[in-house]
Amino acid sequence: VACHRPGGIGPWAMTSYENVRGFAPMIREVIRTKRMPPWFADPHVGKFIGDRSISNEQAQMLVHWIEAGAPRGSGDDPLKNVEPLKSQWLDGEPDMVVEIPAFEVPATGVVDYKYPQVANPLGKDVWVRAIQILPGNPAVVHHVLAGIADPQTSGRTGIEQLAAFGGYSPGRNYFLFPDNSGVLLRADASLQFQTHYTPNGKAVRDVTRVGYYLSKEPPKHEMRLQFLYDPSLRVPAGAKAHTESVEHTFRKNVLLYSAQPHAHLRGRAAKFTAFFPDGREEVLLSVPKYDFNWQTVYLFQEPKILPAGTRIKFDMTWDNSAQNPANPDPTKDVRWGDQTWDEMNTGFLRYRDLQPGESATAMIEKNK
């Protein structure tokens, strides 16, 4: 019911036994086809916060119950106690709410990415500990990235600043940084956004809001984002399983909190592997069945210690064949591009630098 509750992101709410029983045939279908629950990490690789998966035994039990007629057990119905969300803001009222400049989305056509900016309305340095993005019109808002436009920030690429705080896509809109960490927004920097709109046949106006939760005191740690990508990407026409790799080597000791793969409609599988300076290697995340419709950030239950010199290899696999029902055109080579009929091979790593003298216990602090 975290999703399927009144006011939640699910298309229907689980408010009673009778309600669930009415949807039982559909539940059986999406369980058997693995469309639900939306979780795509290999269960044999790593442990993650917010794991939405169910085991094969749980799926079997649920399907058998439905096929038996979904009989009601004894006792009170716990679903009748599920409360609707009291507010769209999951962590209470934000300290600062910013409206992204309104945009008139046409009924048809292709809308290029937009990059609006809003000056820091507080006029002072602040540390952001969490954000939440509320799309004004979810039917046409494909995604939003929220970051910083700060010319004084050196050593970071544009995309690393552009997504410094996080983003919105179906299934995710709230980003909470680990305890005692955050991202600095300087007084004379601007809030930078990337918005992607997809017309749906009706001209509409969108005003998306972003809520910022601020730290009362400067945190001990600054969160950083490493972006792995290769714009020279080319996926051959008809290729059933074409894989390309992107690598990054960390020059400092870091603590890695999360990993996220990103591709478009032809994305098939993804994997992040760490190669350590002492010769060890570890698969950090494996997504054997990538789903473009769910842009999941995988948060490690225990952050990963990456000593200086650790190399991260990001493998992305695409299915550009006619057997991929989501493929717009299997007869064409596909190259890097913003629109969904193009492709991307991008990996996001959220981390912080380890401080000199930090103990092993401090390095393995829990992500709260």
Side-chain angles (χ1 to χ4, degrees):
V1 299
C3 296
H4 290 270
R5 65 192 301 172
I9 67 170
W12 61 281
M14 297 181 177
T15 53
S16 69
Y17 157 75
E18 291 80 11
N19 173 262
V20 170
R21 184 179 182 182
F23 280 98
M26 183 268 288
I27 294 174
R28 179 182 63 172
E29 178 189 345
V30 298
I31 290 292
R32 294 179 68 178
T33 58
K34 298 184 182 296
R35 299 206 304 275
M36 284 285 156
W39 186 259
F40 309 101
D42 186 334
H44 302 99
V45 178
K47 295 183 181 300
F48 302 92
I49 296 170
D51 185 341
R52 297 186 294 261
S53 65
I54 60 174
S55 67
N56 289 335
E57 292 76 17
Q58 290 171 323
Q60 186 180 59
M61 180 189 298
L62 183 55
V63 168
H64 286 175
W65 172 71
I66 293 170
E67 292 179 341
R72 190 192 193 286
S74 60
D76 296 333
D77 184 349
L79 291 177
K80 291 188 180 296
N81 298 322
V82 174
E83 297 182 356
L85 292 176
K86 296 179 180 179
S87 169
Q88 290 181 296
W89 301 113
L90 300 180
D91 198 15
E93 191 67 23
D95 299 295
M96 177 177 70
V97 178
V98 172
E99 286 190 354
I100 298 178
F103 183 76
E104 303 293 338
V105 183
T108 60
V110 176
V111 179
D112 292 334
Y113 283 17
K114 305 300 177 185
Y115 296 88
Q117 293 187 12
V118 177
N120 180 352
L122 300 179
K124 62 179 181 180
D125 290 0
V126 293
W127 284 87
V128 176
R129 64 175 181 84
I131 71 161
Q132 184 178 350
I133 301 175
L134 296 180
N137 193 321
V140 296
V141 179
H142 178 275
H143 79 252
V144 177
L145 295 181
I148 304 169
D150 187 349
Q152 294 191 29
T153 303
S154 61
R156 302 183 193 179
T157 67
I159 189 64
E160 287 159 7
Q161 291 200 77
L162 189 60
F165 296 124
Y168 161 83
S169 62
R172 68 178 181 116
N173 72 342
Y174 178 65
F175 280 78
L176 172 66
F177 295 128
D179 192 40
N180 208 8
S181 71
V183 174
L184 175 64
L185 173 63
R186 294 190 315 103
D188 56 354
S190 294
L191 299 165
Q192 168 80 67
F193 306 98
Q194 180 193 79
T195 58
H196 181 192
Y197 294 104
T198 53
N200 67 349
K202 181 181 178 180
V204 296
R205 176 184 175 89
D206 178 72
V207 180
T208 289
R209 293 179 294 159
V210 184
Y212 296 83
Y213 298 91
L214 308 179
S215 299
K216 294 181 179 179
E217 302 291 337
K220 287 178 60 177
H221 308 296
E222 180 178 11
M223 293 299 294
R224 298 181 180 275
L225 181 68
Q226 181 61 49
F227 181 57
L228 287 71
Y229 71 108
D230 182 4
S232 67
L233 169 69
R234 184 182 71 86
V235 182
K240 177 67 177 175
H242 177 77
T243 300
E244 293 197 13
S245 303
V246 187
E247 297 185 356
H248 173 77
T249 300
F250 284 99
R251 303 302 179 188
K252 297 181 179 180
N253 299 328
V254 305
L255 198 60
L256 180 66
Y257 285 92
S258 67
Q260 178 192 0
H262 175 71
H264 291 168
L265 295 171
R266 299 168 181 84
R268 176 174 174 175
K271 184 171 65 174
F272 290 86
T273 307
F275 297 86
F276 296 96
D278 62 4
R280 292 180 300 119
E281 66 179 77
E282 177 186 355
V283 177
L284 304 178
L285 169 66
S286 176
V287 181
K289 187 179 179 182
Y290 175 83
D291 189 333
F292 171 71
N293 296 301
W294 293 92
Q295 298 296 319
T296 303
V297 177
Y298 295 92
L299 293 160
F300 302 112
Q301 277 194 8
E302 288 193 351
K304 302 290 183 178
I305 304 170
L306 304 182
T310 299
R311 176 170 56 91
I312 301 295
K313 181 184 178 187
F314 168 54
D315 297 310
M316 193 76 213
T317 301
W318 297 265
D319 181 354
N320 194 21
S321 73
Q323 293 175 285
N324 177 1
N327 193 349
D329 188 349
T331 66
K332 292 184 178 180
D333 290 359
V334 186
R335 297 186 178 274
W336 175 280
D338 289 340
Q339 300 297 335
T340 54
W341 55 79
D342 300 316
E343 267 306 335
M344 286 188 176
N345 56 337
T346 55
F348 297 88
L349 301 174
R350 185 77 65 173
Y351 72 99
R352 71 167 177 85
D353 293 339
L354 285 173
Q355 305 302 317
E358 278 194 87
S359 67
T361 301
M363 293 178 186
I364 304 297
E365 63 188 353
K366 292 291 185 180
N367 184 331
K368 298 181 180 179

